[in-house]
C-alpha cells in the first residue's frame, strides 16, 4: 500500500534526523563552543536541509568573488546585497563565472 510506504518513509526519515541530532549533541559535548546548538535544537525539515546544501554549494564561488574584490568587505557586502535583485538563473551565472560587475 502506497500510504503505508509513505508512513514508513516518514518514520525512517524522522529516526534518521533524530540520530543525526543525537550524534551532533554527543560530539559537541567535547567542544568549547557549540555553534549549531540552536540549529539542531529546532525542527529539522527539508527546507532547512536544502538551505545548507544551497549555502555550501556556492561557498567557493563567494570566496572567489571575495578574492576578486581584493578582500574588501564593504565591496563584498555591496556585491552580496545586489544579488537578490537578479533572477535565480542570472544569480547562478554570476556566481559560477565570479562576475563582480553585472546588471540584472
Amino acid at each position: 500500500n502506497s500510504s503505508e510506504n509513505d508512513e514508513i518513509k516518514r518514520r525512517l526519515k524522522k529516526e534518521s534526523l533524530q540520530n543525526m541530532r543525537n550524534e551532533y549533541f554527543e560530539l559537541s559535548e567535547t567542544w568549547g563552543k557549540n555553534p549549531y546548538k540552536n540549529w539542531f535544537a529546532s525542527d529539522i525539515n527539508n527546507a532547512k536541509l536544502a538551505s545548507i546544501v544551497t549555502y555550501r554549494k556556492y561557498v567557493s564561488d563567494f570566496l572567489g568573488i571575495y578574492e576578486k574584490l581584493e578582500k574588501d568587505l564593504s565591496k563584498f557586502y555591496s556585491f552580496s546585497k545586489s544579488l537578490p535583485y537578479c533572477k535565480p538563473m542570472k544569480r547562478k551565472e554570476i556566481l559560477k563565472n565570479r562576475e563582480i560587475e553585472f546588471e540584472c
Side-chain angles (χ1 to χ4, degrees):
N1 185 341
S2 178
S3 63
E4 288 177 18
N5 288 337
D6 289 345
E7 185 58 38
I8 291 169
K9 288 178 189 176
R10 280 191 285 277
R11 183 177 50 79
L12 291 173
K13 179 180 176 183
K14 185 176 181 179
E15 288 174 9
S16 294
L17 291 173
Q18 188 58 49
N19 287 338
M20 180 178 69
R21 184 181 278 119
N22 292 343
E23 288 177 17
Y24 172 80
F25 283 116
E26 184 179 319
L27 178 64
S28 67
E29 288 177 4
T30 64
W31 304 342
K33 292 184 178 185
N34 190 340
Y36 301 104
K37 179 181 178 180
N38 293 334
W39 194 91
F40 277 96
S42 63
D43 186 43
I44 299 173
N45 55 38
N46 288 347
K48 198 170 180 180
L49 292 171
S51 70
I52 299 301
V53 171
T54 300
Y55 169 80
R56 301 245 344 156
K57 182 177 180 179
Y58 295 107
V59 167
S60 65
D61 296 323
F62 276 106
L63 288 173
I65 289 166
Y66 179 64
E67 292 285 333
K68 281 182 104 172
L69 294 170
E70 300 171 349
K71 298 183 180 182
D72 183 320
L73 280 177
S74 64
K75 288 179 184 177
F76 183 73
Y77 290 141
S78 293
F79 167 87
S80 299
K81 286 180 183 179
S82 63
L83 277 180
Y85 296 104
C86 299
K87 292 185 178 186
M89 290 304 292
K90 178 66 175 175
R91 281 195 305 263
K92 288 178 184 180
E93 179 184 317
I94 291 165
L95 291 170
K96 179 183 169 200
N97 297 325
R98 299 182 181 178
E99 300 172 22
I100 57 175
E101 294 183 23
F102 58 88
E103 288 185 30
C104 293

